[in-house]
Amino acid sequence: MAIFSKSLTKTDIEKRLSFPTKCLRSLPCFGRGHAVDFHVMDECGQVWTFRCTIRKKNNPKPVISKDWSKFVSSKHLDVGDKITFSKLENKVGCAFYKIEVKKPVKLFGVNVGY
């Protein structure tokens, strides 16, 4: 089940990935803290440890950091590339997370899809 999809912005590429607050319920429990580390598998089977943090104040806007910049560099991501985060469950009910990257398909310099 897809948690969210997003076309990457300059901030997503250069600093951290922000995503909709409503998606927090699909991520691991924060407990009493404001950050949680979780493992995400990419399309090649490599596992990344991302950290999701929320602000302590009124606006809990979530962001993903820790290993995010390494992921961006490794995948040669750029503004406009699309990522999809998904949550899957194995046969015994354990959840795991997956990230997919789609690069735009260009025809004569114009994006015609992903």
Side-chain angles (χ1 to χ4, degrees):
M1 171 181 86
I3 298 173
F4 71 92
S5 291
K6 180 178 185 182
S7 291
L8 299 176
T9 65
K10 183 177 178 184
T11 299
D12 295 327
I13 297 296
E14 294 178 355
K15 297 182 180 180
R16 64 198 156 286
L17 175 69
S18 64
F19 61 96
T21 304
K22 66 182 179 182
C23 299
L24 281 173
R25 64 179 159 251
S26 297
L27 294 179
C29 180
F30 281 77
R32 294 176 181 244
H34 68 281
V36 64
D37 288 356
F38 63 105
H39 300 290
V40 180
M41 185 184 303
D42 67 20
E43 62 274 1
C44 297
Q46 183 172 350
V47 177
W48 301 84
T49 302
F50 291 153
R51 175 172 291 146
C52 180
T53 57
I54 54 174
R55 295 180 186 139
K56 296 178 185 179
K57 303 279 181 178
N58 298 338
N59 182 3
K61 183 160 179 114
V63 296
I64 290 179
S65 57
K66 187 180 180 183
D67 272 0
W68 175 249
S69 59
K70 290 179 187 174
F71 179 80
V72 167
S73 179
S74 171
K75 301 296 179 180
H76 307 287
L77 298 183
D78 204 356
V79 173
D81 291 351
K82 185 175 180 180
I83 56 115
T84 300
F85 260 85
S86 300
K87 180 179 180 180
L88 306 166
E89 290 190 12
N90 63 18
K91 292 181 181 180
V92 294
C94 293
F96 65 97
Y97 299 90
K98 183 178 174 184
I99 186 169
E100 295 177 85
V101 174
K102 292 187 179 178
K103 298 252 183 201
V105 176
K106 294 185 178 187
L107 185 61
F108 301 111
V110 177
N111 289 352
V112 293
Y114 285 92

